[in-house]
């Protein structure tokens, strides 16, 4: 079955016409500000997460419309277990519910769902829904959605180093042959492309241990809007800002005055 285009934004807004080659291929998003958004309105923090679900679906729709091919969403970090047991229980249960409720729409849109993170401590019911979504959408190629649940950038690198060390002991690989490409093969999603545009909402300006390896040369974009107030139009603004950036990947070009 051919993918179905996602619904247009309720405002009728359309994506910007960006120059060829200037649309970010991979966008990473730290969806921050849910709790503060809710508290500022006299609501429990959990209500911010509920509204954030709608935001994520709208942003995915806008990404498809503008031509982004991969989105990584930071849903629950390895550090988030430090939050109150009530909030952790809500987020785990809510994540399970979101996957169950939204996977059919994502599949219709041609979105491939992929989980990245650690198994230990992750609720088995959440992992089961993640695996079901992965299986349902495995052949889709319009956009890949990497859901980072029980994920940490340092944890990912540590897990990769441990797996490499075990393969060195078994003689599968030689220490002298280890390169950056080798490391990439041991990350949670070896086929993941490098992050082009890294967005954080909620007014904070840090990357918070998200996709540290994959974001080495990402362009950073910080929004003061809390995640529930973000939508596809804000994503498009970020993409427009990205289109103006000069990406040199460690190189340099002289811009001589008067030329």
């Amino acid at each position: 079955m051919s993918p179905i285009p996602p619904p247009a934004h309720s405002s009728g807004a359309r994506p910007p016409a960006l120059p060829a080659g200037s649309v970010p291929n991979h966008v990473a998003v730290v969806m921050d500000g849910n709790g503060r958004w809710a508290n500022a309105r006299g609501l429990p923090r959990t209500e911010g997460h509920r509204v954030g679900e709608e935001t994520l679906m709208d942003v995915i729709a806008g990404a498809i419309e503008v031509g982004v091919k991969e989105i990584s969403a930071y849903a629950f970090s390895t550090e988030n277990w430090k939050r109150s047991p009530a909030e952790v229980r809500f987020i785990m249960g809510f994540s399970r519910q979101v996957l169950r409720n939204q996977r059919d729409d994502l599949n219709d849109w041609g979105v491939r769902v992929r989980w990245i993170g650690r198994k230990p401590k992750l609720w088995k019911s959440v992992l089961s829904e993640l695996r079901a979504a992965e299986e349902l959408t495995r052949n889709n190629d319009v956009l890949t959605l990497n859901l980072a649940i029980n994920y940490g950038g340092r944890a990912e690198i540590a897990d990769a180093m441990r797996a490499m060390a075990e393969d060195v002991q078994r003689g599968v690989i030689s220490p002298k042959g280890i390169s950056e490409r080798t490391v990439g093969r041991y990350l949670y999603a070896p086929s993941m492309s490098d992050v082009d545009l890294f967005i954080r909402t909620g007014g904070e300006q840090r990357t918070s241990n998200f996709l540290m390896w994959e974001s080495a040369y990402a362009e950073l974009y910080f929004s003061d809007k809390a995640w529930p107030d973000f939508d596809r139009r804000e994503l498009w603004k970020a993409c427009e800002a990205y289109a103006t950036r000069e990406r040199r990947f460690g190189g340099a070009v002289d811009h001589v005055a008067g030329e």
Side-chain angles (χ1 to χ4, degrees):
M1 185 178 71
S2 298
I4 299 171
H9 191 266
S10 57
S11 69
R14 300 301 302 162
L18 298 176
S22 64
V23 176
N25 180 69
H26 184 181
V27 176
V29 184
V30 178
M31 305 178 291
D32 194 25
N34 290 322
R36 294 191 298 277
W37 179 91
N39 290 165
R41 289 159 176 77
L43 302 170
R45 290 174 57 84
T46 53
E47 188 60 26
H49 295 298
R50 292 188 194 277
V51 178
E53 173 192 355
E54 299 173 9
T55 299
L56 178 58
M57 292 298 289
D58 191 69
V59 166
I60 292 169
I64 292 171
E65 289 180 318
V66 81
V68 171
K69 299 300 292 182
E70 191 167 4
I71 284 187
S72 293
Y74 208 5
F76 190 86
S77 77
T78 49
E79 290 75 35
N80 286 158
W81 296 105
K82 300 174 186 176
R83 296 188 178 185
S84 72
E87 185 171 1
V88 169
R89 282 195 302 272
F90 173 84
I91 294 174
M92 286 292 107
F94 185 62
S95 297
R96 179 180 58 207
Q97 174 189 327
V98 169
L99 287 161
R100 190 175 299 153
N101 291 346
Q102 304 294 359
R103 66 187 177 205
D104 287 338
D105 282 342
L106 292 172
N107 187 47
D108 288 343
W109 297 353
V111 175
R112 176 192 175 198
V113 176
R114 178 167 57 189
W115 167 61
I116 55 172
R118 277 180 164 174
K119 286 184 181 179
K121 297 182 73 172
L122 183 60
W123 284 18
K124 291 182 179 179
S125 58
V126 175
L127 182 57
S128 176
E129 293 294 342
L130 284 164
R131 295 306 191 202
E134 287 181 325
E135 177 60 25
L136 176 67
T137 65
R138 61 190 176 90
N139 294 320
N140 294 339
D141 59 5
V142 173
L143 179 143
T144 296
L145 171 63
N146 301 306
L147 283 174
I149 301 178
N150 197 26
Y151 173 89
R154 288 182 173 180
E156 178 179 30
I157 294 170
D159 289 348
M161 297 303 102
R162 186 179 304 109
M164 268 200 300
E166 291 171 353
D167 277 354
V168 167
Q169 281 188 321
R170 290 196 294 264
V172 176
I173 59 174
S174 165
K176 292 182 179 179
I178 294 175
S179 65
E180 291 182 13
R181 182 171 294 182
T182 310
V183 175
R185 293 201 300 267
Y186 286 85
L187 298 177
Y188 293 149
S191 64
M192 180 188 292
S193 60
D194 285 344
V195 175
D196 298 302
L197 174 61
F198 188 111
I199 299 173
R200 184 184 182 123
T201 63
E204 303 290 351
Q205 298 191 10
R206 56 179 179 270
T207 58
S208 292
N209 196 26
F210 188 39
L211 297 178
M212 297 172 67
W213 181 273
E214 299 88 346
S215 297
Y217 280 101
E219 296 294 324
L220 305 181
Y221 182 92
F222 299 107
S223 172
D224 289 333
K225 288 185 178 291
W227 179 246
D229 287 330
F230 205 81
D231 64 12
R232 73 182 77 183
R233 296 170 297 180
E234 296 300 320
L235 170 71
W236 295 340
K237 287 180 185 178
C239 290
E240 287 180 305
Y242 171 87
T244 68
R245 307 277 180 93
E246 183 180 358
R247 305 187 75 199
R248 296 189 295 272
F249 300 98
V253 178
D254 285 333
H255 293 287
V256 181
E259 288 190 352

